[in-house]
Structure formats: C-alpha cells, structure tokens
C-alpha cells in the first residue's frame, strides 16, 4: 500500500483524499481476507453477518440490518445468499408474520470458524506498519468518524 512512484502531476493530491486512502485500506484487507477464504466462499460482508449471528441464537432480519448499519434491502439480499449457501436459516416470526428470524446453521458456524483466521490476518496486514498505540488511535478515529451524526430537530 505504499505510494506509487508517480509524478506530482499524476498524483494531483490523491494521497491527501481520505476516501481514496480508506478505499486502499479496504482493498488491502479485502484481498488478504479473500485469499484466506477462497475455499470457504465468503466475502468480507458475508463474514460480518456470520460474525454477528455467531454471537446470538436468533434475531430478526431488521435487527440484523440495524446492527450491521445496512438497509433492509441489502440485508435481505445478503441473508438470501447465505441461506442458499446453507450458512443461515430464515423463518417467519411466529409472533409477527411480517418479520423474518435469522440464525446461523452448523454449516454457517463452521464457515465462520474457518474464515476467522483470514479475518484476523487481514486485520494484521492492515496494522503491521503501525505501533500498538497507533492501532488504538486509528480504531478510535474510525469509530468516531463512523458514529451516526446527532439528529437535528
């Protein structure tokens, strides 16, 4: 992820743009994750779903969307993909027919366990050039940036 050997004219301030730098970081961790998860067949986003579901018995699809900070449509799409892979099961909530309950299957828990080392390797690859203090600072700043803005009434 080093700056490429390009002229100032070609660079034109690109390395001063936070969105560009965040994309490079995401690209770097995504490549590391996907290399380690090729045989599992999970994307980083699908892993996030299994990460959340692995920590709970069952939840509604709406709650899953809120936890992952995704819209309902995207959540439904990813849950559908995971369901077709046999990693999750979805059923109608018996107390509210409009809602869908989602839970990880044994196959999903096994895929999560198999993919977890790749997720840790991707994180390590991102952090390898940072001191422990810098890692904490980066995570603090990313959380601060990612917090929802206060609602103006």
């Amino acid at each position: 992820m080093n700056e490429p050997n390009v002229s100032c004219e070609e660079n034109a301030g690109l390395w001063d743009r936070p969105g560009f730098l965040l994309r490079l970081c995401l690209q770097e961790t995504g490549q590391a994750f996907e290399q380690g998860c090729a045989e599992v067949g999970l994307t980083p986003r699908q892993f996030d779903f299994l990460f959340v579901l692995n920590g709970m018995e069952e939840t509604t699809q709406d709650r899953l969307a809120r936890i992952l900070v995704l819209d309902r449509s995207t959540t439904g799409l990813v849950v559908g993909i995971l369901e077709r892979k046999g990693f999750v099961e979805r059923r109608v909530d018996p107390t509210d027919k409009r809602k869908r309950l989602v839970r990880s299957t044994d196959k999903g828990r096994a895929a999560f366990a198999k993919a977890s080392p790749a997720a840790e390797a991707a994180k390590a690859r991102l952090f390898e050039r940072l001191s422990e203090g810098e890692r904490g600072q980066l995570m603090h700043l990313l959380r601060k940036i990612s917090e929802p803005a206060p609602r103006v009434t």
Side-chain angles (χ1 to χ4, degrees):
M1 243 179 7
N2 296 328
E3 285 188 43
N5 188 13
V6 296
S7 70
C8 290
E9 294 164 0
E10 291 173 310
N11 187 328
L14 200 53
W15 287 83
D16 295 325
R17 297 176 45 85
F20 175 75
L21 296 173
L22 287 168
R23 183 187 60 77
L24 289 180
C25 290
L26 184 60
Q27 185 174 308
E28 182 83 8
T29 59
Q31 286 173 349
F33 179 86
E34 288 171 10
Q35 287 170 357
C37 285
E39 67 182 63
V40 181
L42 278 178
T43 66
R45 179 170 283 179
Q46 292 166 5
F47 179 83
D48 289 345
F49 276 68
L50 293 181
F51 182 92
V52 171
L53 291 170
N54 195 56
M56 57 181 60
E57 182 65 30
E58 186 173 56
T59 190
T60 65
Q61 198 166 298
D62 286 345
R63 181 169 178 239
L64 187 57
R66 286 192 306 276
I67 292 168
L68 290 163
V69 194
L70 293 170
D71 60 77
R72 291 171 55 182
S73 177
T74 301
T75 301
L77 178 69
V78 177
V79 168
I81 292 167
L82 291 171
E83 188 175 35
R84 285 189 294 282
K85 291 180 177 186
F87 294 158
V88 302
E89 291 177 345
R90 188 169 28 179
R91 67 184 179 95
V92 175
D93 185 340
T95 62
D96 185 344
K97 304 290 184 210
R98 298 168 296 170
K99 294 184 179 183
R100 300 290 175 263
L101 295 171
V102 183
R103 72 176 193 85
S104 186
T105 62
D106 289 341
K107 186 176 178 183
R109 286 185 288 281
F112 173 75
K114 200 168 188 178
S116 290
E120 287 303 312
K123 184 168 75 173
R125 187 165 166 180
L126 179 67
F127 286 162
E128 68 189 358
R129 291 176 232 139
L130 302 177
S131 69
E132 195 169 324
E134 289 171 327
R135 292 171 189 174
Q137 185 178 16
L138 175 63
M139 291 304 295
H140 170 77
L141 292 172
L142 288 171
R143 286 183 191 107
K144 186 174 183 177
I145 292 168
S146 299
E147 286 175 359
R151 292 184 183 229
V152 178
T153 54

